[in-house]
Amino acid sequence: MGDDGSDHDAPARPGTASGDSSARISLVDDRDGPDGDATLDLGRLDRLARFVLADRAVPRRLELGLLLVDRGHMAELNAEHMGADGPTDVLAFPIDATPAATADATPAATADATPAATADATPAATADSATDGDAPGLLGDVVLCPAVASAQAAERGTDTTSELDLLLVHGILHLLGHDHAEPGEHQRMFGLTDRLLADFAAADQGVGS
């Protein structure tokens, strides 16, 4: 990693525009009320998730759960798991560790460096146990709140799609054991996030349009 925070490691396994078709992803849009009125490009989120999993060489047998929720649901999760008031943008819940993750991974975090959530602050399995055999497993869940993402996008002068892309990659990297508590970790994680988003944008041109 360079001092500028960029990720100089070669991608573990380059993704494609359509992602790894064998990746196991469960995407659920569980938004209600006004928060559920906005139309999102769910296909793009699926492609981005597959791209990141392929790039990071996540075992195909591990399933990633993506859940889109409204402000009320996110506020409940934030209070239950983090003891925080109000909705946040993203929560990450690691379940089974992967070769890319560490056995003692720290709690996940939101894109603005405030704590998010894990079920018990550490992955449920070590990297070694998660790679034994070919039995299906669960990488973990990333919970996104598009309404909060949209508000943040307006504040930052960007758009909801870009904000959700950022949050999704951020959440998946937390599932893989990345953290940004320390300056060096922060540089590496956000450098990797930027690289993944740029590579996906280049590979995904014209897909889903």
Side-chain angles (χ1 to χ4, degrees):
M1 180 192 70
D3 293 338
D4 61 356
S6 59
D7 180 72
H8 293 305
D9 294 337
R13 182 176 62 199
T16 63
S18 60
D20 183 348
S21 61
S22 63
R24 302 173 63 231
I25 295 177
S26 173
L27 196 162
V28 177
D29 187 349
D30 194 36
R31 295 173 298 153
D32 292 321
D35 285 355
D37 293 340
T39 300
L40 300 177
D41 188 347
L42 301 184
R44 178 186 178 87
L45 292 175
D46 181 85
R47 294 193 305 275
L48 175 56
R50 292 176 188 277
F51 185 94
V52 175
L53 295 181
D55 184 280
R56 297 288 88 196
V58 173
R60 294 186 181 99
R61 63 179 183 77
L62 292 179
E63 180 175 344
L64 169 67
L66 301 180
L67 179 63
L68 307 179
V69 299
D70 55 33
R71 290 182 180 90
H73 190 173
M74 184 61 101
E76 293 175 1
L77 291 173
N78 202 24
E80 177 181 357
H81 296 282
M82 298 308 300
D85 293 330
T88 187
D89 47 9
V90 58
L91 296 176
F93 298 88
I95 299 177
D96 290 337
T98 73
T102 59
D104 58 350
T106 53
T110 59
D112 59 1
T114 57
T118 65
D120 59 3
T122 60
T126 64
D128 289 340
S129 65
T131 56
D132 289 341
D134 296 319
L138 299 174
L139 174 63
D141 297 325
V142 173
V143 184
L144 299 171
C145 185
V148 173
S150 179
Q152 290 179 171
E155 293 174 358
R156 298 173 182 175
T158 183
D159 57 81
T160 302
T161 296
S162 297
E163 188 73 11
L164 284 172
D165 285 355
L166 171 64
L167 295 173
L168 176 56
V169 173
H170 192 87
I172 294 174
L173 290 182
H174 271 304
L175 297 185
L176 298 178
H178 290 273
D179 191 26
H180 48 70
E182 300 297 329
E185 295 172 339
H186 184 282
Q187 289 182 349
R188 179 175 178 80
M189 183 173 182
F190 281 84
L192 177 56
T193 298
D194 290 344
R195 198 271 292 165
L196 287 167
L197 289 171
D199 286 357
F200 173 74
D204 199 59
Q205 287 183 352
V207 177
S209 60

